[in-house]
Every structure is written in C-alpha cells, then in structure tokens.
C-alpha cells in the first residue's frame, strides 16, 4: 500500500493515476473525500497533514508515502509514519533549495529545506524531488486566454525550463516502487528553455488561434497576487522571475535517466491541457 498526500493536486493526482496504472495499491489522503473525485480503485482516507490524529489510520499498512510539503506538519507526520512501519518517503521539494547554503536565500527555499532536513533525519528511506518551474504554472493565465487573445503577465522574457507534472510524478513513482533511490536528490526540469512569451505562443498553437503576451507591470501583478498569496512568497516569486529575464535556465536529463523516457515538452503539455484554456 502506498499513501499519496496532496492527492488532488497537479502532481499528487498524477502520482495516484500512474501508481494505479502500474497495478499498485493506492490510498489517497484528502480533507474532503466527497469532493476529491479520485479514480475508482483508490482507497480514500479522510485526513489532513495538519491534524496528527488523522494520520495513524491513513498510514496503517502503508509501506511508502508520497509527501506533499505542508508547513509545520513534518515532525508529527514522520513520527506517525515510523510508528506505522512505513519504509520510505518521497518528498515533493523544490529546486530552490541550496545544499551548500548555511542560510537559504529566500522563503521558498527555506520552507522546503526545513522539511527536507526533517525527512533526512527521520531514519526512513527518502528521496527528494526538486522540480523547477511547473508547466502547470500556465493555469494562472487560463482565464485571460479564454476571454481573448492577449495574455498579460510580468517579466515576459523570463527564461525557465518548464516541467510537466506527469514527469515529476513519474520520477516519484519510480522512487516509491523501486530500490536504488534512497538518498537521491533529483533536480527535475523540462527538456527546453522557454520564455513566458514562448509559452503563450505555444499555447496559442495548441488552441489553434494566436495568443499574444503583453507585459504586466510587476507592481500591478504584486497587487493582484497578494490577495491570495502571502506577500513574502509573492515578492520571492517576482524577484526570481526578474533575475531570469534574458538569462539561461538549467536543463537536466534526470527525467530520462530515472524513467527511461525523455521529459515531455511544453508543447506536449499544452496539447494535453488545452481545454483548460478554451
């Protein structure tokens, strides 16, 4: 039995689907089973990583866990996992973590580094997935694409190597179900460097109509984003993208090395998810 936390998220749902397709027993942890819309064949456990009293039942009989990072939840979760006899944990972390830094450079890196440290000291087998920019970040401008042909985002020239969440999940599934990944820190990217302008153009090609990107001033973007995201996270995100303008993005071959298939391109992601932008 493999427990998947964050099972309704972009990556967690892919982990659930891929584990099922490979014939594994899957249990999904969700706060609201009635609205989770998980596929048949999944055992659904009602619970929450921030409510330790719900964890023993969810972990009962599980040998491996896909762990979605939730602030403050790691110590209680790891204790419950050890008590339940869990063998390995695969943590969804971030490329922002710097192993050589005494103090992480931003709140996103610091948040993930704290959880990584707790997992590494837990005594369980562990693997860290450290993706860079998600292709799924494009969902933030889906409503604009539905409404017209112009998409406005800050820093159109920011360069990333966006990764398909299905590829993050594929590496995670290997680490959950195979030996040989204990102690690995997998830096995960897509196969190509793209600006945000490139991504909007590619999505337009998937939709069969041209989309055009216009620059949204960073201060306007900040005002909009802090309505639903903590200010320090918004500022970190905007500062990171400002630094990526005109630069180069790291591209790794980790997806292929671990799974045996090349990382999916952003164009492939766009074709698969185009309906969300129509």
């Amino acid at each position: 039995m493999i427990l998947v936390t964050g099972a309704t998220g972009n990556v967690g749902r892919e982990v659930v689907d891929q584990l099922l397709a490979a014939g594994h027993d899957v249990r999904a942890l969700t706060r609201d089973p009635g609205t989770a819309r998980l596929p048949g064949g999944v055992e659904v456990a009602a619970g929450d990583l921030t409510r330790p009293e719900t964890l023993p039942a969810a972990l009962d009989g599980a040998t491996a866990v896909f762990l979605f990072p939730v602030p403050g939840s790691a110590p209680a979760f790891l204790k419950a996992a050890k008590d339940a006899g869990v063998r390995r944990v695969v943590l969804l972390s971030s490329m922002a973590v710097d192993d050589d830094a005494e103090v992480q450079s931003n709140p996103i890196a610091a948040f993930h580094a704290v959880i990584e440290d707790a997992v590494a000291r837990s005594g369980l087998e562990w693997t860290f997935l450290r993706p860079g920019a998600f292709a799924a970040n494009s969902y933030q401008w889906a409503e604009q694409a539905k409404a017209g042909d112009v998409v406005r985002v800050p820093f159109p020239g920011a360069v990333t190597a966006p990764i398909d969440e299905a590829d993050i999940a594929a590496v995670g599934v290997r680490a959950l179900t195979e030996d040989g990944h204990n102690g690995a820190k997998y830096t995960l990217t897509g196969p190509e460097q793209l600006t945000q302008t490139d991504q909007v153009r590619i999505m337009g090609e998937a939709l069969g109509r041209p989309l055009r990107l216009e620059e949204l001033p960073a201060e306007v973007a900040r005002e909009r984003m802090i309505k639903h995201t903590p200010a320090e996270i918004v500022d970190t995100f905007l500062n990171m993208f400002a630094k990526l303008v005109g630069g180069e993005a790291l591209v790794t071959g980790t997806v292929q090395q671990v799974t045996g298939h090349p990382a999916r391109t952003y164009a492939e992601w766009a074709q698969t998810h185009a309906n969300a932008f129509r």
Side-chain angles (χ1 to χ4, degrees), residues 222 225-226 229-237:
R222 185 180 189 277
M225 294 169 71
I226 61 175
T229 305
E232 64 175 358
I233 301 301
V234 171
D235 290 339
T236 297
F237 174 82

Side-chain angles (χ1 to χ4, degrees), residues 12-39:
R13 179 54 190 269
E14 281 286 346
V15 172
V16 167
D17 290 346
Q18 292 182 34
L19 286 170
L20 280 179
H24 297 284
D25 294 328
V26 183
R27 181 182 297 145
L29 182 69
T30 178
R31 289 188 294 268
D32 188 353
T35 61
R37 299 180 181 177
L38 290 159

Side-chain angles (χ1 to χ4, degrees), residues 11 54 73 76 107 132 151 199 207 232:
V11 179
T54 67
S73 67
V151 172
Q199 292 179 50
L207 295 173
E232 64 175 358

Side-chain angles (χ1 to χ4, degrees), residues 183-216:
K185 302 174 182 178
Y186 289 132
T187 300
L188 305 173
T189 75
E192 57 190 343
Q193 301 183 63
L194 299 170
T195 65
Q196 295 201 88
T197 299
D198 292 330
Q199 292 179 50
V200 170
R201 172 183 54 78
I202 291 168
M203 179 55 71
E205 293 169 356
L207 295 173
R209 61 183 175 89
L211 291 180
R212 179 167 53 88
L213 189 149
E214 290 184 356
E215 183 167 7
L216 183 69

Side-chain angles (χ1 to χ4, degrees), residues 6-199:
T8 60
N10 289 325
V11 179
R13 179 54 190 269
E14 281 286 346
V15 172
V16 167
D17 290 346
Q18 292 182 34
L19 286 170
L20 280 179
H24 297 284
D25 294 328
V26 183
R27 181 182 297 145
L29 182 69
T30 178
R31 289 188 294 268
D32 188 353
T35 61
R37 299 180 181 177
L38 290 159
V42 175
E43 181 182 326
V44 180
D48 190 327
L49 288 173
T50 64
R51 294 169 53 210
E53 70 276 10
T54 67
L55 299 178
L59 289 161
D60 184 37
T63 58
V65 178
F66 179 81
L67 181 59
F68 183 84
V70 174
S73 67
F77 167 79
L78 293 166
K79 181 181 183 304
K82 290 190 72 174
D83 290 346
V86 169
R87 177 183 165 196
R88 63 177 55 148
V89 173
V90 175
L91 172 67
L92 180 61
S93 186
S94 170
M95 186 194 290
V97 176
D98 182 354
D99 289 324
D100 296 325
E102 291 187 12
V103 178
Q104 297 296 321
S105 62
N106 63 66
I108 294 173
F111 160 66
H112 287 94
V114 167
I115 300 178
E116 284 193 0
D117 183 61
V119 173
R121 291 186 291 104
S122 69
L124 300 170
E125 294 182 17
W126 56 266
T127 304
F128 299 155
L129 309 182
R130 291 177 170 177
F134 286 26
N137 290 346
S138 299
Y139 286 135
Q140 65 189 313
W141 42 264
E143 292 305 314
Q144 295 184 69
K146 290 178 181 179
D149 296 330
V150 176
V151 172
R152 301 186 75 218
V153 300
F155 307 114
V159 179
T160 63
I163 184 168
D164 191 319
E165 57 272 22
D167 285 331
I168 303 171
V171 174
V173 166
R174 293 293 182 120
L176 287 164
T177 61
E178 299 176 348
D179 292 332
H181 303 280
N182 184 31
K185 302 174 182 178
Y186 289 132
T187 300
L188 305 173
T189 75
E192 57 190 343
Q193 301 183 63
L194 299 170
T195 65
Q196 295 201 88
T197 299
D198 292 330
Q199 292 179 50

